[in-house]
Each structure stands twice: as C-alpha cells, then as structure tokens.
Amino acid sequence: MKKNRILKQSILILVCMLLAFVFLFPIIILLFNSFKSLKEIYLSVLAFPQTLNLENYIQAFSELDYFRSIRNSLTVTITVTTANVLCCSMAAWVLVRYKTRTSTVIFTMFSVAILVPFQCVMLPLLSLMGKLHLVNMPGLMLVNLGFGSSMSIILFHGFIKNVPAELEEAAAIDGAGQVRVFFTIVTPLIRGISATVAILNVMSLWNDYLLPSLTINKKGLQTLPLKTYLFFGAYTKKWNLGSAALVMAIVPVVVFYVCCQKYIVKGVTEGAVKG
C-alpha cells in the first residue's frame, strides 16, 4: 500500500511538472528571444541566446515611453478596480439582503450578461460612445466597469450569503444606518472576496488590448499593450524589441499575481458554501 501511494504521488508530481513546463514554455521562449538580435530570432526561435543582449531592453524602454505607458495602464487599472469593488460589493449586498422578485430578476440579468461576448456588442457600443463623446480614458474606464460588473457581483453575491444577517440587525438596533452597517460590519467580513475580485480585475485590465485599441485615439494615452503592438507593423516586425517590451509589460502583473494568488482560492472557496 505504501509503495502504491508513493508511486501515485510520483506520477502526480511528474504530471504536474510536465503541465507546468507546457504552460511556462511560451514565456521561456519569449524571455530567450528578448535577449537575441533580430538575426538570431530569424535563424532559430527556440535556440538559446548567444549573448545576453540588454540593448533590446534599453531601446524598447525608450520607444515604449515606458513610464508614461505604465502610468496610463495604472490609472485605468486602479480606478476601474477600485470602482468595481466598491460598487459591485454594495450592489451584491442589496441583492442578497432584499429578497424580492425585482432583485431576483436583476441578479439573473447580471448572470446572463456573462454569456454575451464583447464582440457581439462592440460595434453598437462604439457607436453609442461616439454619440455621447465617451472616448479615450473616460469611455475606456466606464465600459470596463460595466463589463466587469457581472462577474464581480456574482462573486460578491455568493460570499455575502455567508455573512450573518444578525450582525447587521444588531448594528441597526443600535442606531446604525445602512451606509454605516455596510462599511463597518459587512466590508471587514468580505475582505477575502474583495481581494479576489480586485486581483481578477487587475489581471484582466492590465492585459486588455481590444477595448483600448477601439476607444483611445489620442497620442500619449496609450496603455502598455497598445504601445507594445507598435513593434509589429504591417511590413516590418521588430521581434527582438517586441519580445523585450512584452517581458517588461508582463513583469508587473506577474509579480502582483504571485504576491496575491492565495486570495483567489481563499475568496472563491469561502464563498462557495453557505455557512
């Protein structure tokens, strides 16, 4: 029995290592190519770099206008994530605590909205944004907030069911209003799912290319994904600089995810079972 258990654990570890290699392989190749010259990349994409050529990073850093681009990405990411967590947590709390036919219909609408791909509403949405003069940063933030609300509300909704209503009733008896009850009683108890929602939104917003490419038309407001795409033109493709730019673009969000990944599992599992 012990030998069988050890054998199963060894096979499981081997399979996990193989899967990890499969998922990490594209990133490893990207990292290798970021140190190669353009000639080396054309000769072999999979080969190790002959030298650690840091010139790619220096030139890509300059052409990206990295500090301005990362500032634009941070502005969109932080603003939308903060608004999403605040608005969606309050909306989910109301939908959980006030059980009416209207609240059920509203929650169903949010659930169904997840099934609608952005590409299906892209053209009419852009037309409406143009009529309302919602372009560049304001339009980008508003649309991102709207499209990110459905999943966030569903996650908050499942988690808030675990928050004892008796605590809120006791605070209300002591004279606390709804706003005070939410921020002093509910908010501290939903920190786990709030962190999960924030992490998922940060990763989605940071890596988004399609929506910014459709809404931002002013020079100097491009986010990192948009600036990175400038290395891949119709006639020339600077794979060496593009690889270096992509590495610099993904490093911040990878570091953020590694530091906060434990909250994703914790937040989702705590909200999965009603206590």
Side-chain angles (χ1 to χ4, degrees), residues 98-169:
Y98 297 91
K99 288 291 185 181
T100 63
R101 183 176 299 177
T102 303
S103 65
T104 303
V105 171
I106 292 174
F107 181 71
T108 303
M109 290 175 61
F110 279 114
S111 302
V112 173
I114 298 179
L115 305 177
V116 181
F118 171 72
Q119 290 79 3
C120 293
V121 298
M122 181 172 63
L123 294 180
L125 179 63
L126 290 176
S127 177
L128 179 61
M129 290 174 63
K131 293 177 182 178
L132 298 177
H133 304 287
L134 288 173
V135 292
N136 295 315
M137 287 297 185
L140 177 61
M141 292 179 184
L142 184 61
V143 174
N144 270 319
L145 178 60
F147 273 95
S149 296
S150 296
M151 179 59 72
S152 300
I153 286 177
I154 290 173
L155 291 174
F156 277 118
H157 191 276
F159 194 94
I160 291 175
K161 288 180 179 179
N162 296 328
V163 177
E166 292 79 7
L167 296 176
E168 301 171 28
E169 294 170 359

Side-chain angles (χ1 to χ4, degrees), residues 79-99:
T79 303
V80 176
T81 300
T82 303
N84 186 288
V85 171
L86 182 62
C87 296
C88 293
S89 59
M90 290 190 291
W93 178 60
V94 172
L95 292 174
V96 170
R97 290 295 180 248
Y98 297 91
K99 288 291 185 181

